[in-house]
Every structure is written in C-alpha cells, then in structure tokens.
Amino acid sequence: MVLRIIYVLLITLILPDLYLYIKFFARKRRRLWVYILAFAPNILLLLAALLLALNESHTPANMKSMLVFFNAYMLVALPKTFFMIADIFATGIGLLWKKARKVLSFISMASAIALFAILLAGMTFGPSNLKVKHIEYESPDLPLAFDGYRIVQFTDMHLTSFRNRPHIVDKVVDAILAQKADMIVFTGDLVSTDVHEFDGFEEPLSRLWATDGVYSVMGNHDYITYARYLSPHEQALQRTLFKQKMKTIGWQLLLNEHRIIRHGTDSIAIIGVENDGTPPFPERGDLKKALGSLPGYKPQSDTPTLFKILLSHDPTHWRRKVLPQTDIQLTLSGHTHGMQFMLFGWSPSQLIYPEWGGIYSEDGRSLNVSLGVGGALLPFRFGAWPEINVITLHKK
C-alpha cells in the first residue's frame, strides 16, 4: 500500500513544506522552535514513509504501524497540501484582483483548518456513526407470499478496523437484530489481511440470526492474498480456516451456489458467487455454476421466471456479467466503501465506479451497493458513514 503510493507521499510531504518555507520563512528569521513545529512533523512522516515502503509486509504489526502513519499523515500533511494548493490559486487571483488578496489568504487558511476538522471527525466519531438505511424494492416477479419480506444487508466489516474499538461490532450486531429481518446477508470482506482478525469477534457475530438464515459471500480481502508475508500454502490454510469459522458462527457461506427459500407454495432463490472483480481483484465468480439448475441464465430465459437475489461483493460484476448473462432481478454488493468519504453528495468513488453507493436500476433489474461498515486500512469515515441496509421487498 505505502510502496504503491510512495511518489504521492513524497510529493505531499516535501512540496507543502517547501512552499511554506518560501512564503513564511525565507525572508525573515524565526526562533528555532518555530522551525521545529513547522517542519519536523513532515520530516518524521517522510522517514516513516520510506521505512514502511522498504519493509512493507502487511503483517499485523506492520498494519498497525501503517495505521498510525496514515492517521498522522492525514492530520498533518493533507491540510498543509490543501493549504498550498488553495493559496497558490488565491495568489494567482490576487495578482488580477489586488483588493481580494487578504480575503483569499484567509479563505486558504480557513479551508485547511476545515479539512483538518473533517479528518479529525472522521477518525474519532465517524467509524461509530452507524446509519440504518431503508430501501423499498418492487418487482412484478416477486411471489405474493414474499410481499413485505425484509432483508438486512451489511458488508465490508474489515474486523481489524475494530481491534481497538470492539464495542462497535456489538453496536452493528444489535442494530441488525433490531430490524427483525427475515434474512440477513453479508456481501464480503469480513477481514482485511489475516483470518485471525476474527479472534475475539466470534461471539458477537454468532448472535446474528434471522428466520430464513444468515448468508454470506467472500470479498477480495477474504482470500488472504494481501498477506504477502504468508506462503501460498499458508494463505490456502487460512482460507480453509476462514470457511470453517463461517460455519462456527452459523453463517451459510455461498461459494458459487444457491439456496431456495420457501414460504408456503411460493419460493425465491438466494445466490452467492465468489469475488468477481477486474484486475487487480480476483475473478472467481461463476454465475452458471451458482445458478445450477435454476432458470435465469440467458440460454434458459424462456423458462418461468423465479425471483432471484444475488450476493456479489464487487459491484462491477453487475454490469460486466450479471446484466448481460442472466435475468437476476436484485444484486447486492459492497466493496467501494464510498472510499469512506463523501461531501455534499460527492465521493471520490464516483471517479472509479459507475455504481458506487445506493440503489441503481436498469431494465427493471437493480443493484444495491452498500457503503459498508469498516475500513480496509483506516478506521476513518466522513459523509460515507458506516451503514446497514434494510431492503423491503414488494410485489409490484
């Protein structure tokens, strides 16, 4: 992670301090402690970035070091970088409009302070600011017996996010149980790099219960491939242990397979595929295998319609394969986290994912992308608050 973005880190750690020196220090000598206060934090962060890049392994200890580094980087380097960019624009405008120089300089400083406040809020109360989002979904294919059927979807726990705040996991479980759902589904990324992130969380997760069961699929992190400190054989052993833990806590892990849910003479299908993403994410989903003998794969589209719900971690799977290859009515995904940041309805996820958060519909079929609960690397959330989704099905 650090090595992949080392050039961005170097630029944002060096250029802002160079700009501050030219603007505030080059023409006037100041006391030593002022220099230390202004420049020592970025120098220390620069050294830490180089050390982490050289020794990056994603071991639990290394992940903890990266967590501390990125927290400090966000609170120190990002506001400085933001101030530099804003002040350069302000200076350029001030050359054309001299009367606005003082106001624009104030705006630059205020913007940097506002960013610092946002980052601090996102690190402190953001990860625990859980939201319950209600979605009403209609389909003419839904059997009448399932009108009003309630599904709770949650995703992207990344249990390492809560190692220092385990009470948040209890809060999530209690919020899910309070919805009294007919079915609970988890759409992948329970861990980040190591199956032992599970340790200590088995009890609260095993409390999840619904009338028709708790179903889950694997996300890209659940394959333990980010644990490069483990050999391929050790990674495979951890994947086996991960699947065993799913059984231990009472969740039904769907690996390119399906289950039929019956209410009286009516039925619906819950389908789960392995992660199916675009590089560098694993592409292991097999829709044809997951559907099995169910009607719904396009070659069988002339058979009677069955209402189907697909669990697929990566939302890009919907447009790449689900829409063109099947008649699955409702797909539930996660993965994006909304990049854990949203302001005035905008998230940087929009630059990468066409479907990144909320519900999308096309030709009478829909995808819901949940913003998830945890954080892949940082326990940070602002705007894209942690959420669980309560999806109520209706006969249209």
Side-chain angles (χ1 to χ4, degrees):
M1 176 64 180
V2 177
L3 187 60
R4 277 191 295 170
I5 61 171
I6 189 64
Y7 293 113
V8 175
L9 295 175
L10 292 177
I11 290 169
T12 54
L13 287 169
I14 294 172
L15 285 186
D17 272 12
L18 183 61
Y19 182 80
L20 290 176
Y21 177 78
I22 294 170
K23 185 174 179 69
F24 297 110
F25 293 87
R27 298 176 186 175
K28 185 177 180 180
R29 298 196 59 168
R30 301 180 186 275
R31 294 179 181 275
L32 179 61
W33 67 268
V34 178
Y35 285 93
I36 294 172
L37 189 64
F39 303 116
N42 271 24
I43 292 172
L44 292 174
L45 286 170
L46 180 61
L47 293 174
L50 293 172
L51 286 172
L52 286 170
L54 290 172
N55 299 288
E56 190 166 1
S57 62
H58 292 115
T59 62
N62 183 251
M63 290 292 289
K64 187 174 182 180
S65 298
M66 284 198 287
L67 175 64
V68 173
F69 168 77
F70 279 111
N71 278 330
Y73 170 80
M74 290 172 70
L75 289 174
V76 175
L78 288 188
K80 280 185 175 182
T81 304
F82 193 75
F83 170 77
M84 177 188 71
I85 294 170
D87 199 61
I88 289 173
F89 275 104
T91 302
I93 296 171
L95 292 174
L96 302 174
W97 188 14
K98 293 183 179 180
K99 291 183 179 180
R101 283 182 182 177
K102 289 185 178 180
V103 174
L104 291 170
S105 295
F106 172 78
I107 291 173
S108 301
M109 185 62 71
S111 299
I113 294 171
L115 178 61
F116 176 84
I118 287 172
L119 295 173
L120 186 62
M123 292 177 186
T124 51
F125 78 85
S128 62
N129 189 27
L130 182 68
K131 303 296 182 184
V132 179
K133 185 181 292 184
H134 292 268
I135 299 166
E136 306 292 324
Y137 177 79
E138 294 183 338
S139 172
D141 299 330
L142 186 73
L144 193 59
F146 287 86
D147 188 43
Y149 194 82
R150 287 164 63 85
I151 301 170
V152 169
Q153 177 195 4
F154 72 117
T155 190
D156 295 270
M157 284 291 287
H158 293 283
L159 288 171
T160 190
S161 305
F162 309 114
R163 184 57 55 195
N164 296 323
R165 289 185 273 192
H167 67 279
I168 296 179
V169 175
D170 288 303
K171 181 178 180 179
V172 172
V173 169
D174 290 340
I176 292 172
L177 292 174
Q179 308 310 313
K180 302 188 184 303
D182 297 291
M183 178 192 294
I184 298 171
V185 299
F186 178 77
T187 46
D189 277 2
L190 192 60
V191 299
S192 290
T193 59
D194 195 297
V195 73
H196 295 292
E197 293 171 32
F198 245 120
D199 297 347
F201 293 116
E202 293 95 334
E203 189 280 326
L205 293 175
S206 66
R207 289 197 290 119
L208 289 174
W209 181 90
T211 307
D212 289 330
V214 181
Y215 300 90
S216 67
V217 292
M218 294 176 72
N220 53 294
H221 283 265
D222 295 325
Y223 293 95
I224 320 296
T225 53
Y226 295 100
R228 295 184 181 91
Y229 55 94
L230 298 176
S231 68
H233 176 66
E234 290 170 323
Q235 290 179 4
L237 290 176
Q238 286 220 2
R239 283 193 290 274
T240 301
L241 181 57
F242 179 90
K243 295 170 186 176
Q244 291 172 352
K245 284 182 176 287
M246 289 283 100
K247 292 182 180 179
T248 301
I249 63 174
W251 297 10
Q252 297 188 52
L253 181 62
L254 301 178
L255 301 170
N256 295 323
E257 53 191 322
H258 68 265
R259 301 286 186 272
I260 299 296
I261 310 299
R262 292 183 172 86
H263 281 199
T265 57
D266 288 336
S267 61
I268 63 173
I270 179 77
I271 304 159
V273 292
E274 295 199 53
N275 191 84
D276 197 307
T278 54
F281 303 114
E283 186 179 5
R284 305 189 186 199
D286 188 334
L287 281 168
K288 196 166 188 176
K289 180 182 177 183
L291 284 162
S293 60
L294 293 178
Y297 208 69
K298 280 298 173 71
Q300 303 173 336
S301 59
D302 58 336
T303 57
T305 301
L306 172 70
F307 186 80
K308 296 174 283 293
I309 301 166
L310 173 68
L311 311 182
S312 180
H313 178 68
D314 193 314
T316 65
H317 187 215
W318 185 63
R319 194 164 293 281
R320 286 185 292 108
K321 296 180 181 179
V322 179
L323 282 178
Q325 295 179 10
T326 77
D327 67 357
I328 291 170
Q329 293 92 339
L330 179 60
T331 301
L332 305 179
S333 299
H335 184 59
T336 72
H337 303 204
M339 289 196 174
Q340 296 167 219
F341 178 82
M342 184 164 59
L343 192 63
F344 304 121
W346 181 86
S347 166
S349 284
Q350 295 171 240
L351 304 175
I352 302 174
Y353 298 98
E355 292 85 26
W356 61 274
I359 194 155
Y360 303 84
S361 296
E362 188 168 309
D363 297 329
R365 300 155 67 194
S366 296
L367 163 73
N368 185 63
V369 185
S370 176
L371 298 183
V373 179
L377 179 61
L378 286 174
F380 168 88
R381 289 267 180 172
F382 189 89
W385 307 116
E387 67 179 35
I388 63 172
N389 300 140
V390 183
I391 303 165
T392 305
L393 307 181
H394 295 289
K395 174 77 173 178
K396 188 173 182 180

